[in-house]
mmCIF file of all heavy atoms in Angstrom:
data_model
loop_
_atom_site.group_PDB
_atom_site.id
_atom_site.type_symbol
_atom_site.label_atom_id
_atom_site.label_comp_id
_atom_site.label_asym_id
_atom_site.label_seq_id
_atom_site.Cartn_x
_atom_site.Cartn_y
_atom_site.Cartn_z
ATOM 1 N N ARG A 469 104.410 105.180 109.542
ATOM 2 C CA ARG A 469 104.541 106.542 109.016
ATOM 3 C C ARG A 469 105.899 107.166 109.299
ATOM 4 O O ARG A 469 106.166 108.275 108.877
ATOM 5 C CB ARG A 469 103.439 107.440 109.590
ATOM 6 C CG ARG A 469 102.107 107.170 108.952
ATOM 7 C CD ARG A 469 101.163 108.336 109.109
ATOM 8 N NE ARG A 469 99.948 108.068 108.368
ATOM 9 C CZ ARG A 469 98.841 107.608 108.917
ATOM 10 N NH1 ARG A 469 98.769 107.420 110.205
ATOM 11 N NH2 ARG A 469 97.784 107.354 108.170
ATOM 12 N N SER A 470 106.745 106.477 110.009
ATOM 13 C CA SER A 470 108.040 107.094 110.299
ATOM 14 C C SER A 470 108.800 107.280 108.988
ATOM 15 O O SER A 470 108.692 106.483 108.067
ATOM 16 C CB SER A 470 108.837 106.234 111.273
ATOM 17 O OG SER A 470 109.342 105.127 110.588
ATOM 18 N N ALA A 471 109.546 108.341 108.923
ATOM 19 C CA ALA A 471 110.082 108.833 107.656
ATOM 20 C C ALA A 471 110.855 107.798 106.851
ATOM 21 O O ALA A 471 110.736 107.718 105.644
ATOM 22 C CB ALA A 471 110.958 110.040 107.924
ATOM 23 N N GLU A 472 111.636 106.975 107.505
ATOM 24 C CA GLU A 472 112.517 106.086 106.764
ATOM 25 C C GLU A 472 111.760 105.098 105.895
ATOM 26 O O GLU A 472 112.288 104.599 104.921
ATOM 27 C CB GLU A 472 113.443 105.330 107.728
ATOM 28 C CG GLU A 472 114.474 106.218 108.404
ATOM 29 C CD GLU A 472 115.204 107.123 107.415
ATOM 30 O OE1 GLU A 472 115.739 106.593 106.431
ATOM 31 O OE2 GLU A 472 115.218 108.345 107.609
ATOM 32 N N LEU A 473 110.531 104.819 106.287
ATOM 33 C CA LEU A 473 109.790 103.821 105.534
ATOM 34 C C LEU A 473 109.219 104.373 104.236
ATOM 35 O O LEU A 473 108.620 103.641 103.473
ATOM 36 C CB LEU A 473 108.653 103.265 106.402
ATOM 37 C CG LEU A 473 109.134 102.462 107.602
ATOM 38 C CD1 LEU A 473 107.983 102.174 108.543
ATOM 39 C CD2 LEU A 473 109.756 101.162 107.133
ATOM 40 N N TYR A 474 109.385 105.646 104.000
ATOM 41 C CA TYR A 474 108.794 106.227 102.810
ATOM 42 C C TYR A 474 109.631 106.032 101.551
ATOM 43 O O TYR A 474 109.168 106.264 100.459
ATOM 44 C CB TYR A 474 108.538 107.720 103.016
ATOM 45 C CG TYR A 474 107.239 107.968 103.715
ATOM 46 C CD1 TYR A 474 107.164 108.042 105.091
ATOM 47 C CD2 TYR A 474 106.063 108.094 102.979
ATOM 48 C CE1 TYR A 474 105.973 108.250 105.729
ATOM 49 C CE2 TYR A 474 104.856 108.311 103.605
ATOM 50 C CZ TYR A 474 104.811 108.396 104.992
ATOM 51 O OH TYR A 474 103.618 108.605 105.617
ATOM 52 N N SER A 475 110.870 105.641 101.722
ATOM 53 C CA SER A 475 111.699 105.494 100.532
ATOM 54 C C SER A 475 111.226 104.317 99.701
ATOM 55 O O SER A 475 111.086 103.218 100.213
ATOM 56 C CB SER A 475 113.149 105.260 100.938
ATOM 57 O OG SER A 475 113.604 106.351 101.667
ATOM 58 N N PRO A 476 110.956 104.568 98.441
ATOM 59 C CA PRO A 476 110.527 103.444 97.609
ATOM 60 C C PRO A 476 111.691 102.490 97.390
ATOM 61 O O PRO A 476 112.852 102.906 97.376
ATOM 62 C CB PRO A 476 110.115 104.110 96.304
ATOM 63 C CG PRO A 476 110.821 105.412 96.291
ATOM 64 C CD PRO A 476 111.087 105.800 97.707
ATOM 65 N N GLN A 477 111.327 101.213 97.265
ATOM 66 C CA GLN A 477 112.387 100.229 97.036
ATOM 67 C C GLN A 477 112.505 99.990 95.557
ATOM 68 O O GLN A 477 111.554 99.582 94.914
ATOM 69 C CB GLN A 477 112.045 98.920 97.736
ATOM 70 C CG GLN A 477 111.884 99.095 99.222
ATOM 71 C CD GLN A 477 110.821 98.184 99.765
ATOM 72 O OE1 GLN A 477 110.315 97.299 99.079
ATOM 73 N NE2 GLN A 477 110.472 98.407 101.018
ATOM 74 N N LEU A 478 113.648 100.279 95.033
ATOM 75 C CA LEU A 478 113.821 100.082 93.594
ATOM 76 C C LEU A 478 114.292 98.664 93.359
ATOM 77 O O LEU A 478 115.440 98.408 93.026
ATOM 78 C CB LEU A 478 114.822 101.085 93.056
ATOM 79 C CG LEU A 478 114.336 102.527 93.173
ATOM 80 C CD1 LEU A 478 115.466 103.483 92.954
ATOM 81 C CD2 LEU A 478 113.216 102.773 92.190
ATOM 82 N N THR A 479 113.366 97.740 93.596
ATOM 83 C CA THR A 479 113.767 96.338 93.488
ATOM 84 C C THR A 479 113.846 95.901 92.046
ATOM 85 O O THR A 479 114.681 95.105 91.668
ATOM 86 C CB THR A 479 112.767 95.448 94.221
ATOM 87 O OG1 THR A 479 111.466 95.861 93.827
ATOM 88 C CG2 THR A 479 112.933 95.566 95.720
ATOM 89 N N SER A 480 112.947 96.457 91.240
ATOM 90 C CA SER A 480 112.964 96.013 89.857
ATOM 91 C C SER A 480 113.594 97.092 88.994
ATOM 92 O O SER A 480 113.629 98.260 89.341
ATOM 93 C CB SER A 480 111.541 95.751 89.388
ATOM 94 O OG SER A 480 110.817 96.944 89.521
ATOM 95 N N THR A 481 114.058 96.689 87.871
ATOM 96 C CA THR A 481 114.637 97.654 86.952
ATOM 97 C C THR A 481 113.505 98.476 86.377
ATOM 98 O O THR A 481 112.526 97.930 85.912
ATOM 99 C CB THR A 481 115.356 96.932 85.805
ATOM 100 O OG1 THR A 481 116.156 95.923 86.396
ATOM 101 C CG2 THR A 481 116.219 97.886 85.025
ATOM 102 N N PRO A 482 113.609 99.768 86.456
ATOM 103 C CA PRO A 482 112.498 100.572 86.001
ATOM 104 C C PRO A 482 112.290 100.543 84.498
ATOM 105 O O PRO A 482 113.223 100.249 83.747
ATOM 106 C CB PRO A 482 112.889 101.977 86.462
ATOM 107 C CG PRO A 482 114.350 101.944 86.665
ATOM 108 C CD PRO A 482 114.730 100.532 86.936
ATOM 109 N N LYS A 483 111.095 100.898 84.151
ATOM 110 C CA LYS A 483 110.731 101.199 82.767
ATOM 111 C C LYS A 483 111.224 100.168 81.757
ATOM 112 O O LYS A 483 112.222 100.351 81.067
ATOM 113 C CB LYS A 483 111.278 102.586 82.418
ATOM 114 C CG LYS A 483 110.903 103.085 81.064
ATOM 115 C CD LYS A 483 109.618 103.843 81.058
ATOM 116 C CE LYS A 483 109.390 104.365 79.654
ATOM 117 N NZ LYS A 483 108.136 104.961 79.442
ATOM 118 N N ASP A 484 110.487 99.099 81.680
ATOM 119 C CA ASP A 484 110.695 98.109 80.619
ATOM 120 C C ASP A 484 112.142 97.651 80.466
ATOM 121 O O ASP A 484 112.631 97.442 79.358
ATOM 122 C CB ASP A 484 110.258 98.675 79.264
ATOM 123 C CG ASP A 484 108.871 99.292 79.347
ATOM 124 O OD1 ASP A 484 108.017 98.676 80.013
ATOM 125 O OD2 ASP A 484 108.679 100.354 78.784
ATOM 126 N N ASN A 485 112.805 97.542 81.567
ATOM 127 C CA ASN A 485 114.203 97.136 81.501
ATOM 128 C C ASN A 485 115.035 97.994 80.578
ATOM 129 O O ASN A 485 116.003 97.528 79.972
ATOM 130 C CB ASN A 485 114.311 95.658 81.070
ATOM 131 C CG ASN A 485 113.843 94.761 82.187
ATOM 132 O OD1 ASN A 485 114.076 95.062 83.354
ATOM 133 N ND2 ASN A 485 113.180 93.674 81.824
ATOM 134 N N ASP A 486 114.655 99.234 80.426
ATOM 135 C CA ASP A 486 115.403 100.122 79.557
ATOM 136 C C ASP A 486 116.786 100.372 80.163
ATOM 137 O O ASP A 486 116.908 100.867 81.287
ATOM 138 C CB ASP A 486 114.619 101.432 79.424
ATOM 139 C CG ASP A 486 115.428 102.521 78.756
ATOM 140 O OD1 ASP A 486 116.322 102.157 77.975
ATOM 141 O OD2 ASP A 486 115.180 103.698 79.041
ATOM 142 N N PRO A 487 117.839 100.001 79.436
ATOM 143 C CA PRO A 487 119.178 100.099 80.036
ATOM 144 C C PRO A 487 119.582 101.537 80.337
ATOM 145 O O PRO A 487 120.293 101.796 81.297
ATOM 146 C CB PRO A 487 120.099 99.497 78.965
ATOM 147 C CG PRO A 487 119.321 99.543 77.694
ATOM 148 C CD PRO A 487 117.870 99.499 78.059
#
Side-chain angles (χ1 to χ4, degrees):
R469 285 201 175 99
S470 75
E472 291 312 307
L473 293 169
Y474 276 90
S475 299
Q477 300 145 9
L478 295 166
T479 47
S480 59
T481 313
K483 184 89 177 172
D484 311 319
N485 289 324
D486 169 27

